[in-house]
């Protein structure tokens, strides 16, 4: 049911005035087409969307995607129906095809008694003028049809003949037909030759001789053409557009200096941005290098190396003092050796604390 409801909701997204004829079963969409109203009547079976819908197009049209036998829609998405196909996409595909190749409306042959044929559904459903009364089993027949077929009073329409309504005034045979207004010979001639458009009403003021002269003489035709009101209005609008275009061009030229200054500022700002980006990248690289150099493992390794160097320096001082050739006096040795050993022990203490996690 969720898939079925989603399919129906997709039709509402088209915003074509969807009408629900039967809930969850039949719907109608209306589209203006070629000066007429085209209707899509959609029927959904109980197994929909596992089975494709049946879509009728009314009134009857001639088009490659419409079956001329029953006026059903026959687009590729219906022929290759899958559950993933939506009703919205089917109708959109049909509208796209109709826009590429407009359908041709076909005059439907009349049914019995001049009523529309019921070969395919009518938009909104065909309703007879006098439907049978409720509970009646007799089919609908126009007035007089039963009498013509059965010849008796009981064969007429179940509702009986329409009531008689008197009409005031003289009988139709004595009524004078309304006469159309008289037309001049010039108007009759023009009306016989062609229908004058609303924009060219000045032609009606010409006599046949003047009209022929205007057609035959190019100079006379151009004079008449230029004096037409529609041409004058067009020339006025054209001149107004030219004046506005000139004013707009002058305004644009007046802003050229400001535009150049803004362009120069933009170029300078872009160059400054490039310089700042270069400095930023260099500082980021330096920060990365320093952060790698002063990580806890790196600091611990440096302390170990420093402890070893301080111990080696103190040992060299001791060896120098013990060697009589160098002649280092005792005071100098004590002072220098004490300082070196202090440095060695300080570095060793820090190295041991870091190894124990006390300096992190």
């Amino acid at each position: 049911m969720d898939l079925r409801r989603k399919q129906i909701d997709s039709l509402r997204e088209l915003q074509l005035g969807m009408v629900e004829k039967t809930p969850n079963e039949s719907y109608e969409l209306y589209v203006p087409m070629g000066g007429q109203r085209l209707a899509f009547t959609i029927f959904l079976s109980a197994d929909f969307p596992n089975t494709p819908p049946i879509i009728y197009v009314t009134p009857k049209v001639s088009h490659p995607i419409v079956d001329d036998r029953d006026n059903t829609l026959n687009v590729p998405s219906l022929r290759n129906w899958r559950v993933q196909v939506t009703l919205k996409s089917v109708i959109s595909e049909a509208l796209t095809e109709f826009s590429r190749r407009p359908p041709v409306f076909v005059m439907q042959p009349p049914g019995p008694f001049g009523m529309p044929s019921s070969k395919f559904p009518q938009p909104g459903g065909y309703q007879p003028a006098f439907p049978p009364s409720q509970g009646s089993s007799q089919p609908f027949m126009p007035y007089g049809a039963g009498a013509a077929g059965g010849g008796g009073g009981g064969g007429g329409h179940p509702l009986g003949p329409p009531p008689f309504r008197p009409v005031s005034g003289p009988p139709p045979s004595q009524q004078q037909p309304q006469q159309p207004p008289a037309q001049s010979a010039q108007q009759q001639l023009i009306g016989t030759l062609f229908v004058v458009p609303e924009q060219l009403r000045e032609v009606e003021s010409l006599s046949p001789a003047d009209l022929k002269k205007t057609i035959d003489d190019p100079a006379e035709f151009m004079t008449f053409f230029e004096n037409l009101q529609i041409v004058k209005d067009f020339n006025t609008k054209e001149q107004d557009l030219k004046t506005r275009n000139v004013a707009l061009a002058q305004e644009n030229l007046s802003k050229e200096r400001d535009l150049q200054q803004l362009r120069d500022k933009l170029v300078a700002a872009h160059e400054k941005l490039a310089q700042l980006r270069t400095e930023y990248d260099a500082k980021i690289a330096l920060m990365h290098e320093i952060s790698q150099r002063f990580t806890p493992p790196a600091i611990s390794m440096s302390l170990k190396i420093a402890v070893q160097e301080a111990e080696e320096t103190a040992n060299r001082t001791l060896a120098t003092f013990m060697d009589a050739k160098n002649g280092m006096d005792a005071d100098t040795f004590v002072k220098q050796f004490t300082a070196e050993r202090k440095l060695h022990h300080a570095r060793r203490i820090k190295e041991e604390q870091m190894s124990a996690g006390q300096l992190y």
Side-chain angles (χ1 to χ4, degrees), residues 289-311:
E289 179 185 355
I290 294 174
S291 63
Q292 292 294 327
R293 191 169 55 191
F294 290 99
T295 58
I299 295 175
S300 178
M301 181 60 67
S302 298
L303 280 175
K304 290 181 179 180
I305 296 174
V307 169
Q308 186 176 0
E309 290 178 350
E311 185 177 8

Side-chain angles (χ1 to χ4, degrees), residues 6 24 42-43 85 95 131 155 180 227 230 236 312 325:
K6 288 181 180 179
N24 292 327
I42 305 169
F43 293 93
V85 179
L95 294 178
N227 288 327
I230 186 175
T236 301
E312 292 176 354
K325 296 180 180 180

Side-chain angles (χ1 to χ4, degrees), residues 39-43 53-61 63-75 78-79 90 94 98 119-121:
F40 294 96
T41 305
I42 305 169
F43 293 93
I54 301 175
I55 302 177
Y56 292 93
V57 181
T58 54
K60 187 174 180 62
V61 296
H63 198 277
I65 65 171
V66 179
D67 194 329
D68 56 359
R69 295 171 298 180
D70 55 4
N71 227 42
T72 56
L73 193 64
N74 190 21
V75 292
L78 284 178
R79 294 195 299 268
V90 172
F98 285 164
K119 183 177 180 181
F120 52 87

Side-chain angles (χ1 to χ4, degrees), residues 13-26:
E13 297 176 4
L14 294 172
Q15 298 182 355
L16 295 178
M18 186 180 76
V19 177
E20 186 178 51
K21 308 300 290 183
T22 304
N24 292 327
E25 291 184 9
S26 63

Side-chain angles (χ1 to χ4, degrees), residues 32-244:
M33 187 74 62
Q36 301 192 41
R37 188 176 72 163
L38 198 67
F40 294 96
T41 305
I42 305 169
F43 293 93
L44 308 178
S45 64
D47 197 29
F48 178 82
N50 295 321
T51 58
I54 301 175
I55 302 177
Y56 292 93
V57 181
T58 54
K60 187 174 180 62
V61 296
S62 176
H63 198 277
I65 65 171
V66 179
D67 194 329
D68 56 359
R69 295 171 298 180
D70 55 4
N71 227 42
T72 56
L73 193 64
N74 190 21
V75 292
S77 56
L78 284 178
R79 294 195 299 268
N80 305 314
W81 177 261
R82 293 177 294 111
V83 178
Q84 292 78 9
V85 179
T86 63
L87 293 174
K88 175 184 176 182
S89 63
V90 172
I91 299 299
S92 299
E93 182 180 4
L95 294 178
T96 300
E97 292 297 330
F98 285 164
S99 64
R100 294 175 181 171
R101 181 177 176 179
V104 178
F105 290 86
V106 180
M107 181 66 69
Q108 183 181 0
F113 312 110
M115 293 186 296
S117 172
S118 59
K119 183 177 180 181
F120 52 87
Q122 297 294 320
Y126 175 73
Q127 300 294 334
F130 300 95
S133 60
Q134 294 183 356
S136 174
S137 60
Q138 299 183 15
F140 168 73
M141 296 192 311
Y143 292 108
H157 194 274
L159 297 180
F164 172 75
R165 295 181 181 178
V167 182
S168 61
S173 59
Q174 299 179 7
Q175 292 181 359
Q176 297 296 330
Q178 185 177 1
Q179 298 294 334
Q183 292 183 340
S184 63
Q186 171 184 341
Q187 291 175 337
Q188 293 178 0
L189 176 61
I190 295 177
T192 303
L193 294 177
F194 57 86
V195 178
V196 180
E198 183 66 28
Q199 296 84 355
L200 301 176
R201 287 304 180 187
E202 291 88 342
V203 177
E204 294 182 344
S205 63
L206 297 177
S207 64
D210 293 339
L211 182 61
K212 186 176 185 305
K213 179 181 178 182
T214 302
I215 296 174
D216 295 340
D217 188 354
E220 188 72 21
F221 175 80
M222 288 303 302
T223 301
F224 175 78
F225 179 78
E226 292 175 354
N227 288 327
L228 289 174
Q229 186 61 42
I230 186 175
V231 177
K232 292 180 180 179
D233 295 342
F234 176 80
N235 290 335
T236 301
K237 292 180 180 179
E238 182 184 17
Q239 187 61 38
D240 180 59
L241 288 175
K242 288 181 179 179
T243 303
R244 290 163 60 184

